Amino acid sequence: MTVPGRRSSTFIRLLRSGFTDPSAAARLLDSDALAAVRTDPVLLDALGATADPDLALLGLVRLAEAQSDDERPVLLDTLVSAKPLRDRLLGVLGASEALADHLARHPRDWHALVTYEAADLHPGLAEFELGLAQAHDPIALRVAYRRCLLSIAARDVCGTIDVAQTAAELADLATATLRAALRIASAAAPDDAAQCRLAVIAMGKCGGNELNYVSDVDVIFVGDAANGAAEAKAVQAATRLASHLMRICSETTIEGTIWPVDANLRPEGRNGPLVRTLASHLAYYQRWAKTWEFQALLKARAVAGDPDLGAEYIDAITPLVWQAAERENFVADVQKMRRRVVDNIPASQVDRELKLGPGGLRDVEFAVQLLQLVHGRSDAGLHSGTTLDALHALAAGGYVGRADAAQLNDAYRFLRAMEHRIQLYRLRRTHLVPEDEADLRRLGRSLGLRTEPVAELNKAWRRHASVVRRLHEKLFYRPLLDAVAQLAPGETRLSPRAAGQRLEALGYADPASALRHLEALASGVTRKAAIQRTLLPVMLGWFADSADPDAGLLNFRKVSDALGKTPWYLRLLRDEGAAAENLARVLSAGRLAPDLLMRAPEAVALLGDPEGLQPRTHEALEQEVLAAVGRADSAEAGVAAARGVRRRELFRTCAADIIGSYGTEDNPAEENPGALVDRVGNAVSDLTAATIAGALRAAVRDHWGEMLPTRFAIIGVGRFGGHELGYGSDADVLFVHEPREGVDEQEAAKAAQTVIAEMRRLLQLPTADPPLLIDADLRPEGRSGPLVRTLSSYAAYYRRWSLTWESQALLRAEPVAGDADLGARFIELIDPLRYPAEGLGEDAAREIRRLKARMESERLPRGADPTLHTKLGRGGLSDVEWTVQLIQMRHAWSEPGLRTTRTREALAAAHAAGLIPTEEAQVLDEAWVLATRVRNAVMLVRGRAGDTFPSEARELAAVGRYLGYAEGTAGELLDDYRRITRRARAVVDELFYGA
């Protein structure tokens, strides 16, 4: 009979001991298997100290029930009397459901945890080999492996060994297992074993002596002939042995599997032979290997098979590993691999990914390996395959700041401990932090977080991941500053040679100049230098992510020199999250944006304002320009002010375009390139119109006061009228005037001529601001015709003499400045010409085709590649625009949507009207957008306009980066351009030429 209150007091005690289901725990404690110890207070306290008391108790009951009648009292007596066993056994049962299953299947294996001698506390490879020595088949090997694993887990959960020692023991156990598997395979095929020498090279975490509980074991096999056998036969025999070894470890049996043996890091991966001779390996690495393969070889370690052959392999590949940093595109290759790893994580898992996510284990490992490869060329002390040992060596050598290394060490250990305990629970290969509350509670308690295990775990995890995220980039750059700064006594610094090596490896072409810039920016004890030392590590990383890091750093020094004494500049970069990264992107993307910024460095403030990169409206721009002109006391001063506004707004447009194209850490790159093109075209066209309006106001006021003797309008044509101006475009215009009442026609014409000449002069005066060229060559009769005509003169000309090409040019005519009423009447005049009633006749269409064909053959510059010329080349701007314009002239009379000056709008309207099929419309649009972006990119990168891709490698790489291509993929860019424009030309041949 239960005493009243007895159950409730037990319930409360179990609850206080950490059981989440006290009722179930009480039933388990009452089971017959635990009758001898159920009232022992020591047992309950020990269960309460485990990661998961409920799981530990269930595992203990299963283990006790599995014992024979003679063995059970021994287990229970030892359990309550021997604290080492109690802590180890219950610790394992509370942390690992999988090892509890193993003990239930093999009930005598608990004896493996009884011994408590010095050798048992830190067993090495020899002890593990002894533990596996009696295993002569795959099933026995699995049982023996689990028994050894049980002892490692026990030491781990009890804190006898730390996370690094645990990983090293797991690697030793893996080594012993590979040797045992090779022994079993050799015994099964003695003839094969006699014909060959086979060495097993561990790679990855096994090679680095830092293995997880459950992980693929990466290997490479090296074979050679033995006992006079022919090499080919020996390699075949070695391949059979290696294949059998892999099956022994990997295949699932009644005792489960051990772990997969993965040989995909071998030369040519899965497509290459499983076993090669040493000579074959070396031939591959010397001729064909990629950068990532040398990074992987950093951890290579001979672990099984023929020790002499293994040692020969390691001796032969080691020099190749430490020369890898001298390869072209070394750092770009490594960073590309890292990005590819992150990009392949499913979005739903990225926040729970311990290994591959941002701030994860791979961030630390990649950073450490990269620094090892850069500096290991000249410092053999860095030649370690173990991450934490290598990190310690990097700090000791001054290659990494000591404080940074200590923080990174702590974070890495915590994250690896999390990974170990997550895998230990079910012995499954995973790097995902669980979502279930019970799993998180067990995980937190296993790491010693007992008060609020879930909350404390999440907090600690996020903190350590944040440290890794913050430090893993800074790791490369902070020591560069220490190399040029005053350090505290006893601190180790990078030598100038090591600093130069690192800068070179990070993509800086002139390390000596870069170090001088760093010294100028960061040395000294001023507040300015202190802030620069905080900013520069991340700035250097952003510069290194560009095609021209040297230019980025030089430009940053220039801007900092110009603004260094202003109180807001460094504060803006330090405190406004996006400003520093935005500035780094802008300064390293080419010449145009930095040139614009240097002329007025205070425009940096735009980069820290969330609205600072938004384009301003035409009305706002014109209002500001006209106000500036109105305040000036001369035409020259007025237009200088207008050009200053234009320079600032060009910088705003460039910066927004660059940042939108590159993306930032918080905002990915714009996915719609057409939106970027439209934004630039609208912004530059509006800005040009406002600047011309300001020049017109200044010229009129200086000569005539408030009113010109003739009404005067400026009509934008070409890209200007189409709102498609690029950074390097001239302003194509027509000038039209109409004498005011009572004004003589000759006087009016002279006034119009004078105002045009004055506008052109003012807009091209030599100043710090870029000139604005006005081009009127599309006027009637071209350069032979008068520069300006009256509206009635235009009407008479178009009525009698107008040619088809002139009507075509008027398709993009739009008033941009001057008398709005006169501009509107000009548009009324030309509409019937550009949108002819009943559409363009066949003769006129033929004339347009003939003119286009002649232009293609005559106007393409000599020596230009027609497949890469953005304007006149195959499938380029001219092809697309003439095709769209022909459709407009044929159908705009009946399709109002085609009556637009904008190419993309007209193309969309033609598609909507059923005049162009969907696929063809998309092909033309893609080609036009790409060609326009290439022209913009060339201007941004070179600072001068161009219609072809740059021939200089670094400039071409910068164009590629702007267009979204990773470093080292310029060839892909050119191939893609040719492919896209080739498809566009096929559409042009069909729609324009009727082929």
Side-chain angles (χ1 to χ4, degrees):
M1 178 178 172
T2 305
V3 177
R6 171 80 180 272
R7 185 180 180 281
S8 61
S9 65
T10 303
F11 186 92
I12 291 169
R13 188 174 176 206
L14 289 170
L15 203 58
R16 285 176 175 168
S17 294
F19 288 87
T20 57
D21 188 351
S23 300
R27 286 194 297 273
L28 288 170
L29 282 169
D30 283 341
S31 65
D32 292 343
L34 296 187
V37 295
R38 69 167 62 104
T39 58
D40 194 312
V42 169
L43 176 63
L44 200 56
D45 289 343
L47 286 166
T50 65
D52 187 339
D54 302 81
L55 186 68
L57 178 56
L58 176 62
L60 179 60
V61 170
R62 292 176 63 205
L63 175 60
E65 288 176 344
Q67 303 298 314
S68 65
D69 291 341
D70 294 338
E71 189 71 17
R72 187 178 300 121
V74 177
L75 167 66
L76 297 177
D77 286 349
T78 311
L79 185 69
V80 295
S81 61
K83 186 178 188 306
L85 171 72
R86 186 166 63 246
D87 290 345
R88 290 167 140 197
L89 178 58
L90 296 182
V92 168
L93 292 174
S96 179
E97 185 177 79
L99 288 176
D101 291 343
H102 172 83
L103 284 168
R105 284 197 310 275
H106 303 280
R108 292 190 57 80
D109 277 5
W110 69 270
H111 288 281
L113 303 180
V114 174
T115 315
Y116 200 74
E117 296 170 359
D120 178 54
L121 293 180
H122 299 287
L125 178 58
E127 286 78 15
F128 289 127
E129 285 196 274
L130 188 62
L132 303 180
Q134 300 308 309
H136 300 297
D137 62 70
I139 292 175
L141 182 60
R142 279 153 177 69
V143 174
Y145 173 84
R146 286 280 197 282
R147 191 181 303 123
C148 293
L149 191 66
L150 185 66
S151 68
I152 296 175
R155 287 188 293 278
D156 178 15
V157 297
C158 291
T160 308
I161 52 177
D162 66 16
V163 67
Q165 292 168 316
T166 301
E169 287 192 16
L170 289 166
D172 282 343
L173 177 56
T175 298
T177 305
L178 289 169
R179 292 180 180 181
L182 182 56
R183 169 171 50 79
I184 294 169
S186 299
D191 291 344
D192 282 346
Q195 287 188 70
C196 67
R197 301 163 68 202
L198 176 64
V200 183
I201 311 298
M203 305 285 285
K205 283 190 158 47
C206 183
N209 276 302
E210 51 187 15
L211 199 59
N212 299 327
Y213 276 102
V214 188
S215 173
D216 291 359
V217 170
D218 296 309
V219 298
I220 286 175
F221 295 108
V222 189
D224 201 1
N227 300 321
E231 184 179 282
K233 286 189 174 299
V235 169
Q236 290 171 357
T239 301
R240 288 190 290 271
L241 286 176
S243 299
H244 193 187
L245 177 154
M246 293 174 72
R247 290 197 303 276
I248 289 169
C249 296
S250 306
E251 283 181 347
T252 302
T253 69
I254 56 171
E255 286 294 338
T257 183
I258 301 176
W259 18 246
V261 175
D262 188 340
N264 288 336
L265 291 177
R266 67 186 184 270
E268 299 180 77
R270 293 179 184 177
N271 299 321
L274 184 63
V275 179
R276 290 175 183 257
T277 62
L278 177 56
S280 175
H281 275 282
L282 287 176
Y284 173 84
Y285 288 128
Q286 286 162 350
R287 291 193 62 189
W288 307 112
K290 298 181 175 64
T291 300
W292 70 263
E293 293 177 276
F294 293 108
Q295 186 182 4
L297 285 169
L298 193 151
K299 292 182 176 293
R301 180 170 64 95
V303 292
D306 189 297
D308 294 335
L309 182 57
E312 288 173 39
Y313 175 88
I314 298 300
D315 290 344
I317 59 104
T318 296
L320 302 179
V321 171
W322 302 110
Q323 291 161 12
E326 296 165 12
R327 292 166 58 89
E328 194 176 350
N329 292 328
F330 162 70
V331 172
D333 288 347
V334 175
Q335 290 173 339
K336 201 188 308 176
M337 277 196 309
R338 172 74 191 121
R339 278 195 293 269
R340 191 177 299 134
V341 166
V342 174
D343 290 346
N344 287 337
I345 304 172
S348 60
Q349 297 180 356
V350 72
D351 290 337
R352 298 191 294 123
E353 176 61 70
L354 260 184
K355 179 180 179 182
L356 305 178
L361 294 162
R362 187 60 63 90
D363 273 349
V364 182
E365 292 158 1
F366 262 60
V368 168
Q369 288 164 24
L370 187 54
L371 291 175
Q372 283 182 276
L373 291 172
V374 169
H375 298 295
R377 291 178 281 178
S378 53
D379 187 345
L382 303 180
H383 295 189
S384 170
T386 307
T387 301
L388 290 174
D389 290 350
L391 181 59
H392 178 75
L394 286 165
Y399 303 104
V400 171
R402 288 183 188 276
D404 289 348
Q407 283 188 286
L408 215 53
N409 174 79
D410 292 347
Y412 187 75
R413 285 174 177 273
F414 183 84
L415 295 174
R416 280 302 300 270
M418 276 184 75
E419 182 184 44
H420 279 183
R421 300 301 163 80
I422 290 168
Q423 293 184 349
L424 180 59
Y425 175 48
R426 288 200 171 116
L427 288 181
R428 288 182 184 166
R429 183 173 181 263
T430 179
H431 310 287
L432 290 178
V433 178
E435 295 177 290
D436 181 74
E437 185 86 5
D439 290 334
L440 289 170
R441 181 175 181 273
R442 180 191 323 104
L443 179 56
R445 284 174 60 91
S446 76
L447 295 170
L449 308 172
R450 296 301 172 97
T451 310
E452 292 285 345
V454 177
E456 291 174 52
L457 172 69
N458 280 320
K459 184 178 178 182
W461 171 35
R462 299 299 177 195
R463 176 168 53 82
H464 285 298
S466 172
V467 165
V468 173
R469 260 198 314 274
R470 183 168 48 83
L471 287 182
H472 108 272
E473 283 290 344
K474 199 171 73 170
L475 209 60
F476 303 125
Y477 303 108
R478 175 171 281 181
L480 293 169
L481 302 181
D482 292 344
V484 298
Q486 292 294 114
L487 297 186
E491 280 287 315
T492 313
R493 73 169 74 210
L494 283 181
S495 67
R497 178 173 176 233
Q501 282 180 335
R502 184 174 304 189
L503 282 163
E504 204 169 49
L506 291 163
Y508 288 81
D510 186 354
S513 294
L515 280 171
R516 283 198 300 275
H517 298 323
L518 291 179
E519 186 170 11
L521 287 163
S523 57
V525 294
T526 63
R527 177 178 169 276
K528 171 183 161 187
I531 296 176
Q532 286 282 21
R533 284 194 291 274
T534 303
L535 287 170
L536 275 165
V538 284
M539 297 292 285
L540 286 168
W542 288 321
F543 295 146
D545 191 39
S546 74
D548 195 348
D550 300 82
L553 180 56
L554 172 61
N555 290 329
F556 181 61
R557 180 180 175 185
K558 288 179 179 176
V559 173
S560 296
D561 287 348
L563 293 176
K565 292 187 171 63
T566 58
W568 55 267
Y569 167 63
L570 289 173
R571 188 171 66 240
L572 171 82
L573 297 185
R574 183 191 64 195
D575 298 340
E576 295 296 334
E581 185 178 4
N582 288 346
L583 180 61
R585 297 292 178 213
V586 167
L587 293 180
S588 57
R591 294 181 184 173
L592 179 62
D595 285 351
L596 292 168
L597 183 60
M598 296 311 167
R599 291 169 183 148
E602 65 277 1
V604 164
L606 296 173
L607 301 176
D609 180 355
E611 301 300 315
L613 299 179
Q614 294 301 313
R616 298 175 67 204
T617 65
H618 175 260
E619 291 74 18
L621 290 168
E622 187 169 289
Q623 187 177 2
E624 181 183 2
V625 166
L626 293 179
V629 170
R631 288 191 298 271
D633 53 12
S634 69
E636 285 81 0
V639 173
R643 288 170 67 181
V645 172
R646 177 170 178 261
R647 179 228 315 118
R648 183 197 68 214
E649 295 303 320
L650 273 176
F651 173 73
R652 187 197 306 271
T653 305
C654 290
D657 188 20
I658 290 165
I659 292 160
S661 299
Y662 270 72
T664 62
E665 290 181 359
D666 294 329
N667 296 299
E670 169 66 63
E671 292 183 2
N672 179 2
L676 288 169
V677 163
D678 291 344
R679 206 174 299 151
V680 171
N682 284 322
V684 178
S685 300
D686 286 346
L687 180 55
T688 301
T691 308
I692 288 175
L696 175 59
R697 173 72 60 87
V700 169
R701 193 188 63 178
D702 234 34
H703 288 76
W704 297 277
E706 291 304 313
M707 187 180 291
L708 195 63
T710 185
R711 292 184 181 86
F712 185 82
I714 302 170
I715 312 297
V717 289
R719 297 194 180 287
F720 189 13
H723 295 258
E724 296 161 358
L725 285 181
Y727 299 114
S729 303
D730 295 346
D732 289 320
V733 299
L734 301 175
F735 298 111
V736 58
H737 79 107
E738 185 177 70
R740 296 186 186 279
E741 288 184 23
V743 176
D744 178 69
E745 198 162 303
Q746 280 192 328
E747 182 190 345
K750 184 178 179 183
Q753 297 274 6
T754 302
V755 83
I756 292 168
E758 181 65 359
M759 284 172 59
R760 284 179 146 176
R761 182 185 74 83
L762 292 168
L763 289 170
Q764 294 179 45
L765 281 174
T767 70
D769 298 310
L772 175 55
L773 302 177
I774 295 178
D775 187 340
D777 288 352
L778 290 176
R779 64 188 183 269
E781 301 178 79
R783 294 182 183 177
S784 306
L787 191 59
V788 60
R789 291 174 181 261
T790 63
L791 187 62
S792 58
S793 173
Y794 273 106
Y797 176 85
Y798 288 140
R799 187 167 55 249
R800 295 187 61 190
W801 310 110
S802 177
L803 300 173
T804 306
W805 74 264
E806 292 175 305
S807 298
Q808 183 184 354
L810 293 172
L811 282 167
R812 294 204 280 187
E814 181 174 289
V816 294
D819 190 294
D821 176 66
L822 180 59
R825 285 189 285 132
F826 181 85
I827 297 302
E828 284 177 24
L829 170 68
I830 66 170
D831 272 354
L833 285 165
R834 56 184 182 174
Y835 312 135
E838 304 302 321
L840 195 68
E842 193 51 47
D843 287 347
R846 230 183 342 266
E847 175 62 24
I848 287 178
R849 294 188 187 105
R850 195 160 41 241
L851 186 62
K852 172 83 168 73
R854 197 178 82 206
M855 188 176 75
E856 286 177 14
S857 62
E858 294 178 2
R859 290 185 56 192
L860 192 70
R862 186 185 298 252
D865 183 345
T867 67
L868 293 175
H869 197 279
T870 58
K871 184 176 180 181
L872 301 173
R874 179 193 70 191
L877 296 170
S878 175
D879 270 0
V880 177
E881 288 164 3
W882 282 58
T883 301
V884 171
Q885 289 162 13
L886 182 58
I887 291 170
Q888 285 181 282
M889 296 184 77
R890 284 182 141 180
H891 300 283
W893 67 278
S894 60
E895 289 292 342
L898 289 169
R899 296 172 203 165
T900 174
T901 63
R902 303 171 188 235
T903 302
R904 296 189 72 216
E905 268 187 22
L907 181 57
H911 171 247
L915 300 171
I916 303 182
T918 299
E919 186 177 347
E920 280 86 339
Q922 289 172 344
V923 166
L924 292 180
D925 186 67
E926 182 182 19
W928 189 89
V929 166
L930 178 58
T932 303
R933 291 202 76 211
V934 170
R935 291 181 98 202
N936 285 344
V938 169
M939 184 67 187
L940 283 170
V941 169
R942 303 175 69 189
R944 61 182 189 276
D947 291 318
T948 58
F949 288 86
S951 55
E952 200 273 318
R954 184 159 272 199
E955 291 181 344
L956 180 60
V959 168
R961 293 303 305 277
Y962 168 83
L963 294 170
Y965 288 80
E967 194 170 342
T969 59
E972 290 178 30
L973 163 62
L974 299 180
D975 289 345
D976 286 349
Y977 183 85
R978 287 188 172 104
R979 175 179 53 79
I980 290 166
T981 52
R982 183 173 63 246
R983 292 173 63 209
R985 179 60 189 212
V987 175
V988 170
D989 285 341
E990 179 187 343
L991 296 179
F992 184 80
Y993 289 111

